[in-house]
Amino acid sequence: MTSWFRDTTGGLPRTFWYLWTGTLINRLGSFVLVFLAIYLTQERGFSAAQAGLVLGLWGVGGAVGTTVGGTLADRWGRRPTLLTAHLGAAAMMLALGLARPLWAVAVGALLLGMFAEAARPAFGAMMVDVVPAADRLRAFSLNYWAINLGFACAAVLAGLAAQSSYLLLFVVDAITTLVTALIIFAKVGETRRATTPAAPKGGPAPAGALRTILTDRVYLGFVALNLFGALVFLQHISMLPIAMGDSGLSPATYGSVIALNGVLIVVGQLFVPRLIKGRSRSHVLALASLVMGVGFGLTAFAEAAWFYGLTVLIWTLGEMLNSPSNATLIAELSPAELRGRYQGVFSLSWQVAGAVAPVAGGLVREHAGNATLWAACAVIGGLMAVAHLVSGPARERRAAQLRPPAEPVTPVTAVRPPAPQAAEAAATAPAPS
């Protein structure tokens, strides 16, 4: 165990550990998004469609934020982009908690999503900047572990706090976001100049940056696959709490059930890098998609808390396999001088899903029924598994082409932060929550 712990945590840069600490603190207070659907439907009396609309606007704001955040990370710098995003998110968190009319709640969710998700590309780019390629698999796994340790604690605490005061959820979330900003301000320096000399600080963007991304079919294909996966995964935030409420289960029960996701990841995530080492990334990602589809599909048959908990444990296993391979693959497919923008485009897939998933989930559930919604999730998971197997070889060839000659070569078959949830990894890379 001592050797395993040293191999897992040893030798990583100090800046990484400051970012890791900020991630953990921020996620310990990530109350709002987990309980927003319950807050809107049970506390505020909005319909499932109206709640889906508000969550969708959060995703729309996130799409704008992650696009702007990726550009600013390359032009302005990682550090100022992170600080601005965190400070703006803390302010909007309080504003959303105090908003009363539906239109004010909708605007608050839109602006909060914009500020919160602007942090993702900068955070992901900074992680890649400071961690050598040979250490990225375990670094992203450690960061994803911190995200879910905080999430597991936050889900339980938020369920208890919601029984006292929903406003308390927004206040605590804002405070932990501010603490994260203070850590970045005091301990984390700018990292962009060390890795992207072609784009000096304050200088113009690399010529043809947008065209480069839009013509990168291999990368955009991978982003599209992540979009479909996110549409399924984000149902645990939007439609799962509503389904559990319809089964007569309380918000505290939902908090305990969804906390199993974080608990399982905390217990097992750090063992995943050794488990998947030496295995084809395409096969790992295909298996992850299939397992997640099965887990969400079984939700159609759930009524009791233990059955909901079982489904959470199943799709969490898929999430654990998906996360480190996804994050390291995004790092390898991103040219150094466009790292922030590439991270932004990948995060954009999560924001588009964040806008579409609750609205689509709410409409399917209202018009076709609860069982149809979860069956569709299972079908999407199966189709994604096939797509990963087909597209995997082209991704590995592209990663090999982009790897600098001096960069240590890691086995391409060895290597998803959670994030999304980067994030939830780059997909689950932590944003202010």
Side-chain angles (χ1 to χ4, degrees), residues 3-14:
S3 175
W4 166 82
F5 183 79
R6 183 173 59 250
D7 292 344
T8 302
T9 63
L12 293 170
R14 181 177 299 178

Side-chain angles (χ1 to χ4, degrees), residues 28 48 80 104 115 125 143 164 175 182 193-194 198 202 236-237 243 256 315 321 358 386 404:
L28 283 170
F115 278 108
N143 191 67
S164 172
I175 290 174
L182 289 175
R193 288 172 293 178
H236 82 280
I237 295 176
S256 299
W315 57 254
L321 292 172
V386 175

